[in-house]
Amino acid sequence: MQLPTYDDVKAAAERLAGHAHRTPVLRSATADARWGAQFFFKCENFQRMGAFKFRGAFNALSRFDAAQRKAGAIAFSSGNHAQAVALSARLLGMPAVIVMPQDAPAAKLAATRGYGAEVVLYDRFTEDREALTQRLATERGMTLIPPYDHPDVIAGQGTAAKELIDEAGPLDALYVCLGGGGLTGGSALAARALSPACKVYGVEPEAGNDGHQSLRAGRIVHIETPRTIADGAQTQHLGDLTFGIIRRDVTDIRTVTDAQLVEGMRFFAERMKMVVEPTGCLAFAGAVADAPSLQGKKVGVIVSGGNVDLVRYAALLSAS
């Protein structure tokens, strides 16, 4: 199994030029003063389709040959990868089928259909999405692009951290949300090349700590579908490629509670005037929890996305 490299991240950045947004790196004097570190927020909630996932999807689909483009792409996703593949397929002129859970946020379902993809629904608690998607891919001759365990997807996601470090300079620590590991793995590749002394932390929901368990066990640990408001991190296991990078290049994996995610949502809304989805708050919540050890340090935080149903968003903020 050959892991992607930083050279793959650089190649992805060239393919994405002119297609992906170069999202802003924002600062917050309030965050710096409150927690005693210098925070650099890479705001992928302002990326096309509202999340970092566009980077990996477009990079992967742009490498299709003519036959693959004609048949199209198929993917499974709780929402952001779905929208990313759907939009990338539309931009590249190919069909797309997305397998999504019935309980995916309404805004993500609507956006995926709006980009022109065919949506196939399944029950995430009783059906195997990977088996269902593989069967459809075989039947239709489509190319399956998994949400994280694919070298082109990982390389594309790593361009977010590359841009962050290019702009902010070397970092002491980098916090990244962790679901299946595509963003964490790609970010680790970029950090190791551009800021070798930087400590890289993946952050996942406390209810879905398969990555934390895997790193300590030295093997991929599978769990039941976690019940958490971080719907983008309701993964059951890491991938072979992502785990390979994480165990080699990631310093550690942190876990945070749903309540900590809501506090992150509130901070972004009140202090930085940003709508950030619960999953997008994982990295910041992890950094805040680690703040006592980050005094005076330069800390990168990847804000992974902002795709949240506004009714649910309001309910989460008002309930706490």
Side-chain angles (χ1 to χ4, degrees), residues 1-9 148-156 185-186 189 241-242 244-245 248-249:
M1 178 181 67
Q2 185 170 354
L3 300 177
T5 68
Y6 177 64
D7 285 341
D8 296 313
V9 177
Y148 50 85
D149 206 35
H150 187 290
D152 294 331
V153 171
I154 296 167
L189 294 177
L241 295 174
T242 58
I245 299 170
R248 184 190 69 191
D249 293 337

Side-chain angles (χ1 to χ4, degrees), residues 34-35 229 257-271 276 278 281-282 284-285 288 313 316-320:
R34 184 177 297 178
W35 291 292
I229 62 172
T257 66
D258 281 0
Q260 289 172 290
L261 297 181
V262 173
E263 284 307 305
M265 291 168 63
R266 175 171 284 107
F267 180 87
F268 284 131
E270 290 182 346
R271 295 295 180 171
V276 180
C281 297
L282 281 166
F284 183 46
V288 167
Y313 178 80
L316 287 170
L317 291 181
S318 63
S320 61

Side-chain angles (χ1 to χ4, degrees), residues 157-309:
Q157 317 306 29
T159 62
K162 178 184 183 303
E163 290 175 9
L164 169 58
I165 298 169
D166 283 345
E167 184 167 337
L171 300 169
D172 295 305
L174 175 63
Y175 287 79
V176 189
C177 77
L178 176 60
L183 182 61
T184 302
S187 297
L189 294 177
R192 287 290 167 261
L194 300 175
S195 183
C198 176
K199 294 182 177 180
V200 179
Y201 298 94
V203 187
E204 60 189 354
E206 186 177 78
N209 69 337
D210 60 291
H212 184 266
Q213 291 185 52
S214 298
L215 196 61
R216 279 148 182 75
R219 58 178 176 80
I220 297 174
V221 173
H222 292 243
I223 63 171
E224 295 298 315
T225 300
R227 295 184 182 271
T228 170
I229 62 172
D231 63 278
Q234 285 182 300
T235 47
Q236 294 175 287
H237 59 86
L238 298 173
D240 291 333
L241 295 174
T242 58
F243 180 61
I245 299 170
I246 287 169
R247 70 182 301 189
R248 184 190 69 191
D249 293 337
V250 168
T251 305
D252 203 357
I253 293 173
R254 303 290 195 241
T255 63
V256 295
T257 66
D258 281 0
Q260 289 172 290
L261 297 181
V262 173
E263 284 307 305
M265 291 168 63
R266 175 171 284 107
F267 180 87
F268 284 131
E270 290 182 346
R271 295 295 180 171
M272 298 183 71
K273 315 309 173 189
M274 298 195 303
V275 173
V276 180
E277 63 185 284
T279 309
C281 297
L282 281 166
F284 183 46
V288 167
D290 278 357
S293 65
L294 298 174
Q295 300 301 294
K297 302 286 182 66
K298 283 183 66 175
V299 181
V301 174
I302 298 187
V303 181
S304 61
N307 293 324
V308 59
D309 180 81

Side-chain angles (χ1 to χ4, degrees), residues 25-39:
V25 176
L26 299 183
R27 303 293 309 279
S28 168
T30 300
D32 290 0
R34 184 177 297 178
W35 291 292
Q38 299 176 62
F39 289 95

Side-chain angles (χ1 to χ4, degrees), residues 6-16 59:
Y6 177 64
D7 285 341
D8 296 313
V9 177
K10 287 197 298 183
E14 293 176 4
R15 292 185 199 100
L16 287 165
N59 186 50

